Amino acid sequence: MSQTQVNSICPFCGVGCGMGLVVNDGCINAVKPLSKHPISQGKLCAKGWNTPFGISKHNRITQPLMKKEGVFEVIGWQEALTYIAQNLQKCIRESGSQSVGVISSARATNEDNYAAQKFARAVLKTNNIDHCARICHSPSVVGLKQTLGSGAMTNSIDDVAKADVILIIGADSTENHAIIGGHIMQAKLRGAKLIVVDPRQTRLAQIADLHLQLNIGSNIALLNGLLNIIFQHNWQNDDFLARRCEGTDALKKHVADYPLDKVAELTGIEGQKLVEAAKLYSQANAAFLAYGIGITQFISGTNNVIAVSNLALVCGQIGREGTGVNPLRGQNNVQGACDMGSLPNVYPDYQSAADKKVREKFSHAWNTTVAQAPGLTSLGMSNQARNGKFRGLIICGEDPIVTDPDRNKVEASMRAMDLLVVVELFMTETAKMADIVLPAASFAEKDGTFTNCERRVQLIHKAIEPPGEAKADWQILSEIAKKMGLGGLMNWQTSEQIFDEMAQLTSSFSGMTYSLLAKKNGIQWPCNAEHPKGSRWLHTTTFPIGKGKLIPVDHVPTNEQPDAYYPFWFTTTRLHYHYGCGSMTRQSPLLERETPNGLLYIHPQDALDLGLKNHQAVTVSSRRGYLETRIVLSNELVPGLLSMPYHFKEAPSNMLTNDAMDPTTEMPELKVCAVNIVPLPKNQSPCPSSISTDIEDWVIQ
Ligand code: SF4
């Protein structure tokens, strides 16, 4: 039996570890870490090691499916494409281009995402294009663009090794970005000081020099309080502020309204700890600040990011090795999906869709007239569907039924549409609701590029053939365009042709080619005439907007507070062993063995007060819905705060979560809502909220 190895990139989180796919007899039956990879350096986390299960041919969707009377029947590609094209055209004819849209995938390649936004803008003539960054880091994209001029990680992952202070806010790195979590633990071992800001006692919080266990939702109060302490003690970096920033006086005056006692009350953290943290961070030679969705998934998400940026700018902890403002992106290519313009407001490389010159540039380049009207976000499309104004949607590789807030509303939106097309590997909860399901090729079955959270664009290579009739997203969208009579717009033969087209239309990628990427372990954007070797650090001498902007922001309470009916705070988390909606990681029996499905974590004191025992079955309810599960006692939480991972369709936390939105980005407040719990009657087991995802249970062969 012949065995080969094809080098690629892990398809799970945004760290972007290098892995060799071991191919035997047309199947991937093992992976090997790549010792020379600049980030992973010969390591993979549990998810990475289990990659072969996530794309195995067992249970994959292999042919186009059409739903007829509640069950799916296999149909041919031509029938599926004709049906989709005709129904999209019908929606556009009857209700205009704003009635249709595309949700692209942060799991898919840059080339797939470029094709998705081009399909929306040039073929459907709409800016209704979005993806799951909406519900993870859209506030980073917008907030950091305002303050620094670029919404991406400013530094590189290996800067962790150069920092003498590491500040982690709202990120559980050992669970969600395990290889970065490992780098942070190593930095701590060599003597770096570690500060963790988190309402939960995460694994990093347990080894931190300072754990600021703030009240959930009090991020801005805490950050403004730290800034006030820094100004009061004259710990700010005056030279950096004078040369590189504007708005210092206004910010200083603003944060004076956050004295120690007020901040201690809002955050629940004693004043002395706040002073210690302010001193450590501001006085460090190099302080690396990283944050996650514990900052962004709030109605104040954009302002939370701005507050983080204010702190780094005031202390001059940016633009140098070992420093920076570093959003830890969730999915393997969520950075790339944003970069490629799979967002309603920007074209590739963040060129504004509202700018007439940009629209003219792309109209000219694509030889068509592009969409003119502002686009809808994914949640905007969902809301308009319930109003009857949004009628046709193509979803590539996302599962909003499991991941978006307020599941009952999401299901109502999907049911209200005339046409729902889902392009997927497996029969997800969202795919089950589709009119047409199309078989997608996995990352190991196509060529392309992924961009990790440090802006590193890395090649992936086709190692095996896609199962059955599965195709890459860009091929599927090109074929729909052809059926709509616009095939000339997307007439690519290879993913490299797509990359080259994208590079010609952008500045940050204009110096990149597949052959250059192949010679290195990826290149960090911007890579162009000014930065021919790419960019390890952003903002070293100037910001794209000239000076860094200090923007005063205020603490706002979360949308929901506990009350007599819903007396507990509730937050969502992620687990080391699973990823996103679990559609890939839950194919692995090894990962499934590690974690029972969807448990509710509760502080022992709360359990005692309610007379609950470990593993007791309970009902959890919020103003939007309820679910049944079992409790686990955990000292990671404080009394009054409950938590639940969101990977599990059997206990979907989005039955509970709140869709109240950040007004700037429409980011829903997924991180916090108010709930109640009551025990289920004795001997009653929790009723799982979902049923089989086995393909044979859904398809008439
Ligand atoms: Fe994959 Fe992320 Fe784990 Fe690396 S840290 S192996 S990229 S899941």
Side-chain angles (χ1 to χ4, degrees):
M1 189 185 295
S2 69
Q3 177 170 300
T4 54
Q5 179 174 319
V6 179
N7 288 351
S8 192
I9 301 300
C10 176
F12 293 113
C13 87
V15 178
C17 297
M19 62 167 56
L21 304 173
V22 180
V23 182
N24 258 318
D25 227 8
C27 290
I28 291 166
N29 52 12
V31 293
K32 284 185 180 171
L34 302 180
S35 58
K36 293 195 175 136
H37 191 268
I39 301 152
S40 45
Q41 299 162 4
K43 300 187 196 76
L44 294 172
C45 78
K47 291 186 280 284
W49 280 112
N50 278 270
T51 299
F53 292 109
I55 53 167
S56 91
K57 292 185 174 153
H58 170 68
N59 234 2
R60 286 278 296 275
I61 298 163
T62 57
Q63 290 165 292
L65 307 172
M66 179 183 274
K67 191 180 275 164
K68 294 179 183 166
E69 294 174 5
V71 285
F72 288 107
E73 284 183 19
V74 173
I75 58 170
W77 267 107
Q78 290 312 312
E79 187 184 351
L81 294 169
T82 302
Y83 182 90
I84 295 165
Q86 286 178 349
N87 279 279
L88 285 171
Q89 284 168 325
K90 182 168 182 276
C91 293
I92 294 169
R93 203 168 47 245
E94 292 173 357
S95 306
S97 288
Q98 285 299 82
S99 69
V100 294
V102 180
I103 293 181
S104 188
S105 175
R107 287 191 294 169
T109 61
N110 286 322
E111 293 74 5
D112 290 326
N113 277 284
Y114 179 86
Q117 61 85 37
K118 184 173 180 181
F119 178 81
R121 293 182 162 120
V123 177
L124 301 181
K125 311 287 185 201
T126 178
N127 283 307
N128 295 343
I129 167 78
D130 208 359
H131 72 287
C132 71
R134 181 67 42 210
I135 58 167
C136 63
H137 272 283
S138 55
S140 297
V141 176
V142 173
L144 296 183
K145 181 93 179 163
Q146 283 180 45
T147 59
L148 309 177
S150 168
M153 190 162 162
T154 64
N155 283 52
S156 297
I157 293 168
D158 69 359
D159 279 31
V160 169
K162 308 291 178 353
D164 52 349
V165 169
I166 297 164
L167 171 56
I168 307 292
I169 313 180
D172 194 354
S173 315
T174 56
E175 298 293 303
N176 309 323
H177 304 90
I179 296 300
I180 294 180
H183 287 318
I184 294 168
M185 287 170 126
Q186 281 176 346
K188 170 80 179 119
L189 281 175
R190 69 159 165 79
K193 296 286 183 198
L194 176 61
I195 309 168
V196 173
V197 178
D198 204 294
R200 294 184 305 125
Q201 196 177 46
T202 60
R203 203 174 308 191
L204 285 182
Q206 287 166 26
I207 61 161
D209 298 278
L210 274 176
H211 175 203
L212 307 183
Q213 196 164 12
L214 78 175
N215 294 331
I216 193 157
S218 62
N219 294 296
I220 293 177
L222 180 125
L223 291 159
N224 280 355
L226 293 179
L227 280 165
N228 188 33
I229 295 164
I230 288 164
F231 282 124
Q232 282 181 336
H233 288 80
N234 225 10
W235 289 336
Q236 72 277 9
N237 187 329
D238 285 323
D239 175 55
F240 188 85
L241 285 168
R243 283 189 300 107
R244 303 282 312 268
C245 302
E246 59 188 41
T248 308
D249 291 344
L251 181 70
K252 186 175 176 182
K253 193 163 167 240
H254 182 80
V255 298
D257 276 345
Y258 288 81
L260 215 48
D261 53 346
K262 176 177 167 182
V263 175
E265 192 185 329
L266 284 169
T267 62
I269 299 167
E270 60 189 86
Q272 188 49 39
K273 264 192 167 180
L274 293 167
V275 175
E276 274 179 59
K279 186 172 185 184
L280 262 181
Y281 179 78
S282 63
Q283 301 305 292
N285 288 325
F288 182 95
L289 187 160
Y291 69 86
I293 54 178
I295 279 281
T296 55
Q297 287 184 330
F298 289 95
I299 55 166
S300 55
T302 305
N303 285 353
N304 286 348
V305 170
I306 289 170
V308 166
S309 173
N310 286 343
L311 179 67
L313 287 171
V314 164
C315 301
Q317 298 290 10
I318 195 164
R320 292 180 286 118
E321 188 174 58
T323 67
V325 176
N326 301 295
L328 300 179
R329 308 299 298 262
Q331 306 215 50
N332 57 326
N333 196 38
V334 70
Q335 181 66 54
C338 293
D339 298 343
M340 293 301 109
S342 282
L343 294 166
N345 59 329
V346 287
Y347 278 77
D349 203 15
Y350 305 97
Q351 298 173 79
S352 172
D355 186 337
K356 193 163 171 255
K357 283 200 185 117
V358 170
R359 295 199 301 271
E360 283 170 359
K361 170 183 166 176
F362 280 88
S363 291
H364 179 71
W366 292 343
N367 198 22
T368 189
T369 306
V370 298
Q372 301 294 310
L376 296 167
T377 64
S378 54
L379 277 82
M381 294 183 230
S382 186
N383 289 338
Q384 292 290 41
R386 292 195 305 283
N387 295 336
K389 292 183 181 158
F390 186 85
R391 298 176 53 192
L393 178 63
I394 299 176
I395 301 180
C396 300
E398 298 217 346
D399 192 7
I401 295 288
V402 175
T403 55
D404 282 9
D406 199 345
R407 181 179 175 132
N408 288 322
K409 268 195 196 168
V410 184
E411 286 183 354
S413 302
M414 301 289 170
R415 272 194 296 272
M417 289 178 205
D418 295 287
L419 175 71
L420 177 61
V421 179
V422 173
V423 181
E424 254 303 348
L425 305 180
F426 299 103
M427 188 54 79
T428 60
E429 299 299 289
T430 304
K432 288 176 194 169
M433 297 200 70
D435 301 297
I436 299 272
V437 179
L438 300 176
S442 78
F443 85 108
E445 296 149 6
K446 59 189 177 186
D447 296 321
T449 53
F450 289 154
T451 306
N452 80 347
C453 66
E454 56 165 13
R455 300 169 279 105
R456 184 180 296 274
V457 182
Q458 306 187 89
L459 277 174
I460 60 163
H461 304 284
K462 182 175 178 179
I464 54 172
E465 288 301 320
E469 299 171 20
K471 298 174 197 271
D473 297 2
W474 67 263
Q475 291 173 310
I476 294 171
L477 293 168
S478 303
E479 290 185 18
I480 299 171
K482 205 164 157 190
K483 280 280 177 212
M484 293 177 76
L486 294 167
L489 292 174
M490 302 177 68
N491 195 20
W492 306 294
Q493 304 307 310
T494 64
S495 61
E496 186 171 8
Q497 289 173 352
I498 304 174
F499 190 89
D500 290 344
E501 178 180 315
M502 179 278 297
Q504 279 172 18
L505 290 166
T506 59
S507 164
S508 296
F509 304 88
S510 59
M512 289 187 197
T513 61
Y514 269 25
S515 57
L516 268 180
L517 293 172
K519 281 186 202 146
K520 304 179 171 208
N521 279 307
I523 300 174
Q524 288 168 275
W525 65 253
C527 172
N528 46 30
E530 211 181 321
H531 306 280
K533 293 184 177 166
S535 309
R536 275 191 65 193
W537 306 290
L538 299 180
H539 319 314
T540 50
T541 54
T542 182
F543 294 98
I545 48 174
K547 290 196 167 186
K549 305 279 184 295
L550 296 163
I551 303 174
V553 288
D554 258 323
H555 166 76
V556 286
T558 55
N559 178 263
E560 272 188 2
Q561 317 281 316
D563 60 16
Y565 300 103
Y566 299 99
F568 289 93
W569 294 102
F570 174 87
T571 191
T572 52
T573 61
R574 293 178 279 180
L575 301 174
H576 180 83
Y577 297 103
H578 286 295
Y579 162 83
C581 63
S583 65
M584 290 168 73
T585 47
R586 297 199 64 196
Q587 303 295 327
S588 163
L590 302 178
L591 295 177
E592 281 288 89
R593 188 189 64 191
E594 295 297 330
T595 47
N597 303 337
L599 299 171
L600 182 75
Y601 292 81
I602 182 171
H603 190 274
Q605 186 59 52
D606 286 334
L608 192 67
D609 292 347
L610 294 167
L612 297 173
K613 293 202 169 61
N614 205 13
H615 297 153
Q616 189 162 343
V618 295
T619 295
V620 195
S621 58
S622 76
R623 289 178 178 83
R624 290 153 293 280
Y626 75 97
L627 55 85
E628 295 176 5
T629 185
R630 290 184 185 277
I631 62 160
V632 178
L633 307 189
S634 169
N635 283 311
E636 282 188 5
L637 296 156
V638 290
L641 176 64
L642 312 175
S643 77
M644 184 175 226
Y646 69 73
H647 312 291
F648 301 102
K649 60 186 185 296
E650 297 86 347
S653 61
N654 69 340
M655 291 302 268
L656 310 170
T657 46
N658 191 353
D659 67 348
M661 290 179 193
D662 172 22
T664 311
T665 59
E666 299 191 5
M667 157 66 81
E669 194 158 67
L670 280 160
K671 265 294 160 197
V672 64
C673 67
V675 299
N676 190 21
I677 50 173
V678 291
L680 280 169
K682 264 197 178 156
N683 305 324
Q684 184 174 328
S685 293
C687 172
S689 303
S690 185
I691 49 176
S692 168
T693 47
D694 286 353
I695 191 83
E696 58 267 28
D697 292 339
W698 284 88
V699 181
I700 297 173
Q701 298 290 347

